[in-house]
PDB file of all heavy atoms in Angstrom:
ATOM      1  N   LEU A  68      -5.736  15.434  55.183  1.00 95.00           N
ATOM      2  CA  LEU A  68      -6.616  15.045  56.285  1.00 95.00           C
ATOM      3  C   LEU A  68      -6.129  15.650  57.616  1.00 95.00           C
ATOM      4  O   LEU A  68      -6.924  16.144  58.414  1.00 95.00           O
ATOM      5  CB  LEU A  68      -6.725  13.519  56.396  1.00 95.00           C
ATOM      6  CG  LEU A  68      -7.468  12.828  55.250  1.00 95.00           C
ATOM      7  CD1 LEU A  68      -7.359  11.319  55.376  1.00 95.00           C
ATOM      8  CD2 LEU A  68      -8.919  13.278  55.182  1.00 95.00           C
ATOM      9  N   LYS A  69      -4.829  15.638  57.831  1.00 95.00           N
ATOM     10  CA  LYS A  69      -4.294  16.198  59.064  1.00 95.00           C
ATOM     11  C   LYS A  69      -4.524  17.714  59.121  1.00 95.00           C
ATOM     12  O   LYS A  69      -4.793  18.265  60.192  1.00 95.00           O
ATOM     13  CB  LYS A  69      -2.816  15.860  59.180  1.00 95.00           C
ATOM     14  CG  LYS A  69      -2.580  14.379  59.481  1.00 95.00           C
ATOM     15  CD  LYS A  69      -1.124  13.981  59.440  1.00 95.00           C
ATOM     16  CE  LYS A  69      -0.969  12.499  59.633  1.00 95.00           C
ATOM     17  NZ  LYS A  69       0.417  12.043  59.467  1.00 95.00           N
ATOM     18  N   GLN A  70      -4.432  18.378  57.967  1.00 95.00           N
ATOM     19  CA  GLN A  70      -4.730  19.815  57.931  1.00 95.00           C
ATOM     20  C   GLN A  70      -6.189  20.098  58.262  1.00 95.00           C
ATOM     21  O   GLN A  70      -6.512  21.197  58.739  1.00 95.00           O
ATOM     22  CB  GLN A  70      -4.402  20.382  56.541  1.00 95.00           C
ATOM     23  CG  GLN A  70      -2.933  20.487  56.251  1.00 95.00           C
ATOM     24  CD  GLN A  70      -2.674  20.936  54.832  1.00 95.00           C
ATOM     25  OE1 GLN A  70      -3.570  21.028  54.002  1.00 95.00           O
ATOM     26  NE2 GLN A  70      -1.396  21.199  54.533  1.00 95.00           N
ATOM     27  N   GLN A  71      -7.041  19.110  58.021  1.00 93.00           N
ATOM     28  CA  GLN A  71      -8.467  19.250  58.330  1.00 93.00           C
ATOM     29  C   GLN A  71      -8.766  18.904  59.774  1.00 93.00           C
ATOM     30  O   GLN A  71      -9.911  18.882  60.195  1.00 93.00           O
ATOM     31  CB  GLN A  71      -9.327  18.380  57.395  1.00 93.00           C
ATOM     32  CG  GLN A  71      -9.124  18.645  55.939  1.00 93.00           C
ATOM     33  CD  GLN A  71      -9.380  20.095  55.584  1.00 93.00           C
ATOM     34  OE1 GLN A  71     -10.430  20.645  55.891  1.00 93.00           O
ATOM     35  NE2 GLN A  71      -8.424  20.739  54.940  1.00 93.00           N
ATOM     36  N   GLY A  72      -7.730  18.547  60.544  1.00 94.00           N
ATOM     37  CA  GLY A  72      -7.895  18.189  61.942  1.00 94.00           C
ATOM     38  C   GLY A  72      -8.217  16.730  62.164  1.00 94.00           C
ATOM     39  O   GLY A  72      -8.568  16.320  63.284  1.00 94.00           O
ATOM     40  N   ILE A  73      -8.108  15.921  61.145  1.00 94.00           N
ATOM     41  CA  ILE A  73      -8.380  14.481  61.243  1.00 94.00           C
ATOM     42  C   ILE A  73      -7.069  13.745  61.382  1.00 94.00           C
ATOM     43  O   ILE A  73      -6.245  13.740  60.485  1.00 94.00           O
ATOM     44  CB  ILE A  73      -9.126  13.973  59.983  1.00 94.00           C
ATOM     45  CG1 ILE A  73     -10.442  14.757  59.827  1.00 94.00           C
ATOM     46  CG2 ILE A  73      -9.389  12.492  60.090  1.00 94.00           C
ATOM     47  CD1 ILE A  73     -11.141  14.517  58.495  1.00 94.00           C
ATOM     48  N   LYS A  74      -6.881  13.143  62.561  1.00 91.00           N
ATOM     49  CA  LYS A  74      -5.598  12.493  62.847  1.00 91.00           C
ATOM     50  C   LYS A  74      -5.726  11.034  63.225  1.00 91.00           C
ATOM     51  O   LYS A  74      -4.738  10.300  63.257  1.00 91.00           O
ATOM     52  CB  LYS A  74      -4.872  13.261  63.944  1.00 91.00           C
ATOM     53  CG  LYS A  74      -4.506  14.667  63.539  1.00 91.00           C
ATOM     54  CD  LYS A  74      -3.788  15.392  64.645  1.00 91.00           C
ATOM     55  CE  LYS A  74      -3.196  16.664  64.225  1.00 91.00           C
ATOM     56  NZ  LYS A  74      -3.944  17.791  63.956  1.00 91.00           N
ATOM     57  N   ASP A  75      -6.931  10.587  63.515  1.00 93.00           N
ATOM     58  CA  ASP A  75      -7.145   9.196  63.984  1.00 93.00           C
ATOM     59  C   ASP A  75      -7.421   8.273  62.829  1.00 93.00           C
ATOM     60  O   ASP A  75      -8.552   7.836  62.594  1.00 93.00           O
ATOM     61  CB  ASP A  75      -8.306   9.173  65.011  1.00 93.00           C
ATOM     62  CG  ASP A  75      -8.427   7.829  65.659  1.00 93.00           C
ATOM     63  OD1 ASP A  75      -7.452   7.088  65.694  1.00 93.00           O
ATOM     64  OD2 ASP A  75      -9.543   7.522  66.152  1.00 93.00           O
ATOM     65  N   PHE A  76      -6.366   7.972  62.051  1.00 95.00           N
ATOM     66  CA  PHE A  76      -6.488   7.059  60.923  1.00 95.00           C
ATOM     67  C   PHE A  76      -5.144   6.453  60.615  1.00 95.00           C
ATOM     68  O   PHE A  76      -4.087   6.971  61.029  1.00 95.00           O
ATOM     69  CB  PHE A  76      -7.058   7.752  59.683  1.00 95.00           C
ATOM     70  CG  PHE A  76      -6.128   8.785  59.082  1.00 95.00           C
ATOM     71  CD1 PHE A  76      -5.242   8.443  58.091  1.00 95.00           C
ATOM     72  CD2 PHE A  76      -6.139  10.086  59.519  1.00 95.00           C
ATOM     73  CE1 PHE A  76      -4.378   9.379  57.537  1.00 95.00           C
ATOM     74  CE2 PHE A  76      -5.284  11.060  58.988  1.00 95.00           C
ATOM     75  CZ  PHE A  76      -4.419  10.681  57.974  1.00 95.00           C
ATOM     76  N   THR A  77      -5.146   5.362  59.886  1.00 95.00           N
ATOM     77  CA  THR A  77      -3.934   4.769  59.354  1.00 95.00           C
ATOM     78  C   THR A  77      -4.153   4.554  57.861  1.00 95.00           C
ATOM     79  O   THR A  77      -5.282   4.388  57.409  1.00 95.00           O
ATOM     80  CB  THR A  77      -3.586   3.394  60.006  1.00 95.00           C
ATOM     81  OG1 THR A  77      -4.664   2.490  59.770  1.00 95.00           O
ATOM     82  CG2 THR A  77      -3.326   3.559  61.486  1.00 95.00           C
ATOM     83  N   ALA A  78      -3.083   4.582  57.117  1.00 95.00           N
ATOM     84  CA  ALA A  78      -3.161   4.404  55.676  1.00 95.00           C
ATOM     85  C   ALA A  78      -2.128   3.400  55.218  1.00 95.00           C
ATOM     86  O   ALA A  78      -1.032   3.352  55.777  1.00 95.00           O
ATOM     87  CB  ALA A  78      -2.962   5.729  54.970  1.00 95.00           C
ATOM     88  N   SER A  79      -2.511   2.626  54.203  1.00 95.00           N
ATOM     89  CA  SER A  79      -1.572   1.647  53.643  1.00 95.00           C
ATOM     90  C   SER A  79      -1.838   1.483  52.151  1.00 95.00           C
ATOM     91  O   SER A  79      -2.933   1.780  51.671  1.00 95.00           O
ATOM     92  CB  SER A  79      -1.705   0.311  54.353  1.00 95.00           C
ATOM     93  OG  SER A  79      -3.001  -0.235  54.158  1.00 95.00           O
ATOM     94  N   LEU A  80      -0.832   1.023  51.465  1.00 93.00           N
ATOM     95  CA  LEU A  80      -0.938   0.797  50.024  1.00 93.00           C
ATOM     96  C   LEU A  80      -0.955  -0.697  49.749  1.00 93.00           C
ATOM     97  O   LEU A  80      -0.087  -1.436  50.238  1.00 93.00           O
ATOM     98  CB  LEU A  80       0.237   1.459  49.312  1.00 93.00           C
ATOM     99  CG  LEU A  80       0.268   1.372  47.804  1.00 93.00           C
ATOM    100  CD1 LEU A  80      -0.937   2.060  47.196  1.00 93.00           C
ATOM    101  CD2 LEU A  80       1.556   1.991  47.264  1.00 93.00           C
ATOM    102  N   ASP A  81      -1.956  -1.137  48.986  1.00 93.00           N
ATOM    103  CA  ASP A  81      -2.071  -2.528  48.596  1.00 93.00           C
ATOM    104  C   ASP A  81      -2.256  -2.562  47.080  1.00 93.00           C
ATOM    105  O   ASP A  81      -3.367  -2.406  46.586  1.00 93.00           O
ATOM    106  CB  ASP A  81      -3.250  -3.186  49.321  1.00 93.00           C
ATOM    107  CG  ASP A  81      -3.383  -4.675  48.986  1.00 93.00           C
ATOM    108  OD1 ASP A  81      -2.437  -5.262  48.437  1.00 93.00           O
ATOM    109  OD2 ASP A  81      -4.457  -5.236  49.280  1.00 93.00           O
TER     110      ASP A  81
END
Side-chain angles (χ1 to χ4, degrees):
L68 291 173
K69 290 174 184 174
Q70 288 174 352
Q71 302 305 306
I73 302 170
K74 296 180 170 73
D75 188 22
F76 68 91
T77 59
S79 63
L80 183 62
D81 183 15

